[in-house]
């Protein structure tokens, strides 16, 4: 029997995956901005920009946590269905 949830309903962890993608994108833009002066031959950006570049890793970890949460919820649901 098929699962009775809607196709567009939010599963556990979906919010974390979306938020992680947004944070990752912000970190990717910060990384591009930080690396640009190296190619343009201009003055480097302040140190806090390198900190913003770390948002890529934070976003990746957030999205990974969301995926793991979704997998755990799927396993719990599968065990309850037996």
């Amino acid at each position: 029997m098929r699962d009775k949830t809607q196709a567009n309903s939010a599963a556990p962890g979906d919010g974390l995956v979306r938020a992680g993608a947004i944070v990752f994108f912000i970190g990717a833009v910060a990384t591009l901005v930080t690396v640009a002066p190296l190619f343009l031959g201009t003055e480097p950006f302040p140190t806090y920009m390198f900190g913003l570049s770390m948002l890529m890793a934070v976003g990746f970890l957030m999205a990974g946590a969301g995926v793991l949460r979704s997998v755990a919820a799927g396993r719990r649901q599968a065990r309850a269905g037996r």
Side-chain angles (χ1 to χ4, degrees), residues 59-70:
F60 186 76
L61 290 175
M62 286 173 63
V67 169
L68 291 177
R69 186 174 178 200
S70 179

Side-chain angles (χ1 to χ4, degrees), residues 8-24 58-59 61-70:
N8 60 356
S9 65
D14 283 355
L16 269 175
V17 172
R18 287 188 186 112
I22 292 168
V23 172
F24 182 87
V58 172
L61 290 175
M62 286 173 63
V67 169
L68 291 177
R69 186 174 178 200
S70 179

Side-chain angles (χ1 to χ4, degrees), residues 24-72:
F24 182 87
F25 180 73
I26 292 169
V29 170
T31 301
L32 290 174
V33 168
T34 303
V35 173
L38 297 174
F39 297 112
L40 300 175
T42 59
E43 209 44 47
F45 282 100
T47 306
Y48 70 87
M49 287 300 292
F50 293 101
L52 285 177
S53 297
M54 294 298 161
L55 288 178
M56 283 180 67
V58 172
F60 186 76
L61 290 175
M62 286 173 63
V67 169
L68 291 177
R69 186 174 178 200
S70 179
V71 167

